[in-house]
Amino acid sequence: MEKDEFNRLLATSRIVLNEIESDSIQKDTEDILKFFDKIGSVTVETGEKAFHPVDIPEKLREDSAADRREIENVFENGDTYRFYFLGPKV
Amino acid sequence: MKADFLELDKDEYPGFIETLRDKNEELNAFNFIQNSYGEGKIISVKDNICVKDMPATASSKILEGYKPGFDATVVRRLKENGFRVIGKTNMDEFGFGSFGLNSEKQAKNPFDEKYVSGGSSSGSAISTAIIKDHVSIAESTGGSISTPAAFCGVVGFTPTYGLVSRYGLIDYANSLDKIGFMGRNAAAIKEVFNFSLGKDAKDTTSLERELIDNNSRKLYVINGLMKGVNPLVVDRFNRLLDRLISLGYTVEYKDLEYLDYSVPTYYIISMAEASTNLAKYQGFKYGFRLKDFSLDYNDFFKSARKEFGKEAKRRVILGTFIRSQSVRSKYYDKALGIRHLIIRQMKKLLSDGLIISPTMPIFTPKIEEVNDINPVEAYSMDMLTIPPNLCGFPHVSFPYFYEKGMPMGAQLIADHFNDYSLFSVLSEWEQNFKYKFAGELG
């Protein structure tokens, strides 16, 4: 992986590294991807994929706001102003 | 067999906590210890599982200061059945590690502090090893229960994927995470497991199924899995097989074609899922607060994520890469296909028996020996614990030998929902082998 490509990946990942960390993690990334390439030799003919290890019947939650504590939890753990929690500019 | 759990009265509790704190200074088992007294059977909980009004950090700086206002379902169910949480246990950051070293306070083995405790549920294993009649609630993604259980000489049980609700778990990889248990014997773990079971409306992947004990006395050893195991570990493991044969079990050696690919398959899926799960830690909602709201969103996000440890950064970067459109089918989609093949192969074998192996391919290493190994070497150490975790099969690690005073663990794997088969074999083993523990606090 070229340095430019790695830097683009860092930007996409929203990770900032110093120079020493960057060199070390770039090397690790290349080694790990080489290790992952091992699966290239497997032929998966069936096209079936295991998104979960066991069959999970499709279930949807009731469309209702039942647990208002969840909202309070967000307020308890973040900076707030009146009825809002504070975050960065979008 | 009846299970015993430690219960203390109001007078005994302060002394116990003081001794536990002293021990914790040496071993780094806990991130948080509860000072105030409460009645109940004592358990500890891994620090990535939420307990109301106790800190939950998953050993990450980015969650420092986060205190959930609710109990995870598993914790709520246990509290309703007379259990009380005495503390939150140390772990590798977000579960990213096999040795208990990816944490600000590196966990140490209770048998000898020079050695690793194993991870990622390092503190759960240590607390179980040193506290009398203890059970700890842990979590496994790729071996985070079996590995520390083996190195610390306790029993570590990981149930079938989906049986224990994950509501309240700080997730690492959603299609792999399983809440499980560490204890000192099969009876204690089974009792806690039974209280934890059941469908949960708050976790749509939770399952309610009838659990089976197929009473199988057939054990399979997978040739491919044994290839990378230290020959001396193989020798000790063969002695275990001899003992099991003398108890009436049969042992058959089998080949499974795709198991060689389970480690890269697991890391591809887990990193892809971890990189999305960690996106919620932005520096203003949970734990660490950056507070510099003058930054635009991207810079704010990037600055907050400096708080991740090195392994977390590595996994976010790789996970982001794997999910990118140009390589998604090469890595992620392919890995899901291979997982399907491995499940199919293993299920066939597990339909009439259990798979047995050493839990780890090596003896317990010293901390200095693993501090500097490269990531691929570290990931490869999980070769025996990954197959059942990747495929959601229930499995248990139990002590079976002591090498120069250090415990060794073996791992039994059963088919989905055959969780009780594991307890039957283990109960029989415990009648024939006496475990040695590192402490008896309480």
Side-chain angles (χ1 to χ4, degrees):
Chain A
M1 189 180 282
E2 297 295 321
K3 193 77 191 169
D4 281 355
E5 194 187 346
F6 184 69
N7 286 337
R8 275 200 302 278
L9 177 58
L10 289 183
T12 312
S13 313
R14 290 179 172 131
I15 294 283
V16 182
L17 302 173
N18 63 38
E19 208 172 318
I20 298 166
E21 256 187 329
S22 179
D23 289 346
S24 145
I25 292 186
Q26 184 181 350
K27 190 189 172 307
D28 292 345
T29 303
E30 289 163 357
D31 291 345
I32 294 165
L33 287 174
K34 242 180 252 167
F35 176 61
F36 288 173
D37 285 342
K38 189 177 170 186
I39 67 166
S41 58
V42 183
T43 308
V44 184
E45 283 168 350
T46 61
E48 288 179 87
K49 294 174 188 170
F51 290 97
H52 290 283
V54 295
D55 287 335
I56 303 283
E58 192 182 343
K59 286 182 284 187
L60 299 172
R61 286 197 178 97
E62 286 293 314
D63 190 11
S64 63
D67 190 354
R68 297 195 63 82
R69 280 290 301 165
E70 285 181 6
I71 297 165
E72 288 166 30
N73 287 335
V74 171
F75 284 143
E76 276 171 22
N77 283 285
D79 287 320
T80 56
Y81 172 71
R82 299 184 67 196
F83 311 113
Y84 309 98
F85 65 85
L86 295 171
K89 289 183 287 187
V90 179
Chain B
M1 192 177 153
K2 193 187 164 297
D4 292 317
F5 300 97
L6 180 64
E7 282 188 79
L8 297 167
D9 65 33
K10 212 171 181 174
D11 296 331
E12 294 167 322
Y13 194 74
F16 167 75
I17 289 296
E18 203 182 318
T19 318
L20 188 61
R21 282 193 183 283
D22 289 345
K23 203 73 192 159
N24 198 41
E25 290 289 313
E26 297 164 23
L27 301 173
N28 294 325
F30 286 86
N31 288 345
F32 172 81
I33 295 174
Q34 180 69 281
N35 276 332
S36 58
Y37 175 75
E39 280 181 7
K41 296 171 275 188
I42 284 174
I43 52 169
S44 59
V45 176
K46 187 174 177 178
D47 203 16
N48 61 350
I49 299 169
C50 292
V51 179
K52 190 174 190 282
D53 297 330
M54 284 190 188
T57 70
S59 288
S60 181
K61 280 186 186 171
I62 208 157
L63 275 166
E64 220 166 70
Y66 174 60
K67 208 179 252 190
F70 64 99
D71 282 325
T73 297
V74 64
V75 172
R76 177 179 57 77
R77 286 179 175 162
L78 290 173
K79 282 182 175 177
E80 286 168 359
N81 283 285
F83 290 88
R84 178 175 179 272
V85 180
I86 54 147
K88 302 296 295 295
T89 58
N90 195 3
M91 57 183 286
D92 288 289
E93 184 182 13
F94 289 113
F96 301 154
S98 308
F99 299 109
L101 304 178
N102 292 333
S103 171
E104 204 173 347
K105 292 180 179 172
Q106 294 192 330
K108 294 173 187 170
N109 193 294
F111 280 86
D112 186 333
E113 291 172 33
K114 292 191 292 298
Y115 290 80
V116 303
S117 61
S120 69
S121 306
S122 48
S124 286
I126 302 168
S127 59
T128 305
I130 61 173
I131 300 172
K132 191 181 170 194
D133 298 333
H134 193 64
V135 168
S136 188
I137 314 308
E139 177 274 335
S140 177
T141 307
S144 290
I145 291 178
S146 286
T147 302
F151 286 160
C152 293
V154 300
V155 179
F157 167 64
T158 308
T160 300
Y161 174 85
L163 282 181
V164 178
S165 165
R166 298 177 295 176
Y167 176 74
L169 171 70
I170 296 170
D171 35 24
Y172 159 6
N174 306 63
S175 79
L176 295 157
D177 293 340
K178 298 153 296 277
I179 290 178
F181 310 91
M182 299 221 196
R184 291 183 160 211
N185 55 57
I189 293 180
K190 189 176 179 182
E191 190 166 323
V192 174
F193 173 53
N194 283 339
F195 287 134
S196 307
L197 288 167
K199 209 167 172 173
D200 178 15
K202 290 177 172 170
D203 174 3
T204 53
T205 60
S206 65
L207 296 166
E208 188 153 352
R209 295 283 176 86
E210 192 184 336
L211 299 186
I212 304 160
D213 177 355
N214 67 6
N215 291 309
S216 176
R217 300 189 75 79
K218 191 186 278 184
L219 302 172
Y220 291 111
V221 178
I222 310 299
N223 292 318
L225 283 182
M226 299 300 292
K227 262 190 328 206
V229 179
N230 176 319
L232 290 175
V233 174
V234 174
D235 173 74
R236 311 305 183 254
F237 176 68
N238 286 337
R239 295 188 208 177
L240 165 68
L241 294 182
D242 289 342
R243 286 192 71 166
L244 289 169
I245 289 166
S246 74
L247 293 174
Y249 289 88
T250 61
V251 175
E252 276 184 42
Y253 289 80
K254 290 279 179 185
D255 290 307
L256 285 183
E257 192 184 348
Y258 298 110
L259 273 192
D260 281 354
Y261 304 99
S262 60
V263 178
T265 298
Y266 163 81
Y267 274 99
I268 289 168
I269 296 171
S270 66
M271 286 183 186
E273 294 183 9
S275 65
T276 60
N277 281 325
L278 264 55
K280 61 178 157 292
Y281 305 115
Q282 301 145 322
F284 63 95
K285 220 171 176 182
Y286 305 103
F288 170 74
R289 297 183 205 174
L290 189 59
K291 290 187 186 278
D292 187 356
F293 295 127
S294 65
L295 294 170
D296 70 29
Y297 187 78
N298 264 335
D299 290 336
F300 188 93
F301 200 28
K302 279 192 234 172
S303 296
R305 282 151 76 93
K306 284 180 188 164
E307 299 302 311
F308 284 147
K310 189 174 180 187
E311 185 60 28
K313 287 176 184 165
R314 197 156 37 213
R315 294 194 191 203
V316 168
I317 293 165
L318 273 153
T320 305
F321 179 73
I322 286 160
R323 288 185 293 110
S324 57
Q325 203 180 2
S326 58
V327 295
R328 186 191 151 103
S329 61
K330 180 181 173 187
Y331 293 116
Y332 184 67
D333 292 343
K334 185 79 172 273
L336 293 177
I338 295 173
R339 170 154 74 175
H340 175 77
L341 294 175
I342 296 175
I343 291 172
R344 206 171 56 183
Q345 276 194 335
M346 286 181 78
K347 269 191 95 64
K348 209 169 168 185
L349 212 56
L350 291 169
S351 63
D352 70 343
L354 305 169
I355 294 174
I356 190 166
S357 71
T359 304
M360 293 301 285
I362 51 170
F363 292 110
T364 312
K366 288 183 178 163
I367 292 174
E368 64 186 32
E369 290 170 333
V370 290
N371 255 336
D372 295 320
I373 61 172
N374 70 50
V376 174
E377 284 171 337
Y379 301 165
S380 301
M381 298 286 177
D382 301 336
M383 54 181 270
L384 302 168
T385 59
I386 278 179
N389 278 284
L390 176 68
C391 304
F393 292 119
H395 53 285
V396 67
S397 174
F398 59 95
Y400 76 94
F401 196 84
Y402 296 88
E403 180 79 17
K404 294 175 187 161
M406 298 300 288
M408 295 175 71
Q411 181 177 258
L412 274 171
I413 306 169
D415 195 4
H416 295 138
F417 311 112
N418 275 245
D419 301 54
Y420 288 155
S421 308
L422 300 172
F423 294 124
S424 296
V425 178
L426 199 56
S427 298
E428 194 177 343
W429 173 248
E430 286 167 0
Q431 285 165 25
N432 291 277
F433 185 84
K434 193 165 168 44
Y435 301 151
K436 300 171 192 169
F437 297 109
E440 286 294 327
L441 289 184

